[in-house]
Amino acid sequence: MWEKSEIDYVVNQTIENQLGKRKVQNIYRFWSGAKPEPSKLSNLSKCERFEYPKNSGNYYISAEAAFQQYFFEEKDRERFKEDGDIGGSLALLDILKVKKENWEKKNSNRPEMTGIVSKMSKKLVNAKKMGLTLITNEQKKSLEEIVKLFLEILWCKYSVNIEARNILMNTGTKYLVEFGRGDKYAYSSNRKKPLWSALDDKDGTLYGGNLQGEIHMLVRKKLIKNYSYNQL
């Protein structure tokens, strides 16, 4: 479904973005702490269950859980599914000493950020607390493989999540940025340059790889070709 040329384009755009020299305009920002509408594009947001991969019988309620499972051994991956203690609730935030209220559903429109548990599980100290085993460096995926994986996951998510799909499609041709509030500071220090998110400065300069924004724009392009707005 996803051509090598499309994957290569996302990778190359991300690498160029990380240089901190690209100027962007007509921007639509999304992140977990955003207003209700853009927050639903966050990979952390709780959504309607979606099957991934197709016809596998494996269901998830956040894109983050479907992705992060691949950083752990096979024996641990069941826990990232919709009924697992990692992928299905915020309960494990207690043992990580993180306030659940920061990630719970805020009101009738802003979703619970269930995927935060999956995201935090990748840190070694947290993985140990959760009884998880991270895969070895030799088993880790390349950037191209990661892009392909997320394209497949997000396609499955947006195929069944009509509200989130319409939000994404309604951004039209806007440049999508997964907003990272502190991303610019990496460019005034020796810190590693952000990969997934970015900050767009007042003059439009983009600081950060914005990989998630680039992936979402490619998914949006294909959704617009295959779906009508508000299609049931």
Side-chain angles (χ1 to χ4, degrees), residues 4-17:
K4 184 179 183 300
S5 59
E6 294 174 315
I7 294 168
D8 289 344
Y9 176 80
V10 169
V11 170
N12 292 334
Q13 289 291 102
T14 300
I15 292 171
E16 186 175 337
N17 291 345

Side-chain angles (χ1 to χ4, degrees), residues 67-73 77 122 133-135 146:
F67 174 70
Q68 293 294 350
Q69 63 164 322
Y70 287 104
F71 290 91
F72 299 93
E73 292 188 353
R77 295 180 185 177
K122 192 177 167 186
T133 304
L134 287 157
I135 61 173
I146 286 173

Side-chain angles (χ1 to χ4, degrees), residues 32-214:
S32 61
K35 293 180 179 179
E37 184 176 281
S39 73
K40 291 175 183 176
L41 301 186
S42 169
N43 293 323
L44 303 186
S45 66
K46 185 176 182 178
C47 60
E48 292 181 39
R49 69 198 295 258
F50 62 92
E51 188 179 25
Y52 173 78
K54 290 282 189 182
N55 303 315
S56 66
N58 298 327
Y59 289 89
Y60 303 88
I61 56 172
S62 78
E64 194 72 23
F67 174 70
Q68 293 294 350
Q69 63 164 322
Y70 287 104
F71 290 91
F72 299 93
E73 292 188 353
E74 290 278 356
K75 64 181 178 63
D76 296 326
R77 295 180 185 177
E78 287 287 325
R79 299 175 65 187
F80 289 80
K81 295 179 183 178
E82 64 171 338
D83 55 353
D85 61 337
I86 295 173
S89 80
L90 296 174
L92 285 179
L93 290 182
D94 290 335
I95 69 169
L96 301 180
K97 297 182 179 179
V98 174
K99 292 182 178 180
K100 280 192 287 192
E101 56 263 34
N102 293 338
W103 304 98
E104 290 173 334
K105 187 174 183 178
K106 298 295 183 182
N107 52 51
S108 60
N109 293 315
R110 176 114 171 256
E112 176 181 288
M113 294 295 156
T114 316
I116 187 60
V117 181
S118 299
K119 183 175 182 179
M120 294 186 71
S121 69
K122 192 177 167 186
K123 287 189 176 181
L124 181 58
V125 63
N126 292 338
K128 287 182 176 179
K129 289 179 180 179
M130 294 179 182
L132 296 167
T133 304
L134 287 157
I135 61 173
T136 62
N137 287 332
E138 290 75 20
Q139 295 172 296
K140 289 183 178 177
K141 298 181 182 296
S142 67
L143 185 54
E144 288 79 7
E145 289 173 318
I146 286 173
V147 169
K148 184 174 184 291
L149 184 61
F150 241 125
L151 286 169
E152 293 169 348
I153 290 169
L154 291 177
W155 183 261
C156 291
K157 171 188 172 178
Y158 289 116
S159 292
V160 298
N161 281 265
I162 299 171
E163 182 183 9
R165 182 173 77 223
N166 286 329
I167 290 170
L168 179 55
M169 291 171 65
N170 277 318
T171 62
T173 59
K174 288 183 178 179
Y175 185 84
L176 302 181
V177 173
E178 184 178 45
F179 181 69
R181 192 176 302 279
D183 285 357
K184 182 179 178 181
Y185 296 109
Y187 291 81
S188 58
S189 66
N190 291 323
R191 287 171 51 195
K192 186 177 180 180
K193 302 302 182 287
L195 173 66
W196 294 99
S197 59
L199 181 142
D200 52 290
D201 212 354
K202 292 179 180 179
D203 65 352
T205 302
L206 195 68
Y207 293 98
N210 193 35
L211 177 57
Q212 218 24 262
E214 296 290 346

Side-chain angles (χ1 to χ4, degrees), residues 17-36:
N17 291 345
Q18 283 188 302
L19 297 176
K21 296 179 179 179
R22 170 164 286 169
K23 300 272 189 178
V24 293
Q25 55 186 351
N26 193 26
I27 297 162
Y28 184 94
R29 302 175 190 87
F30 67 98
W31 73 102
S32 61
K35 293 180 179 179

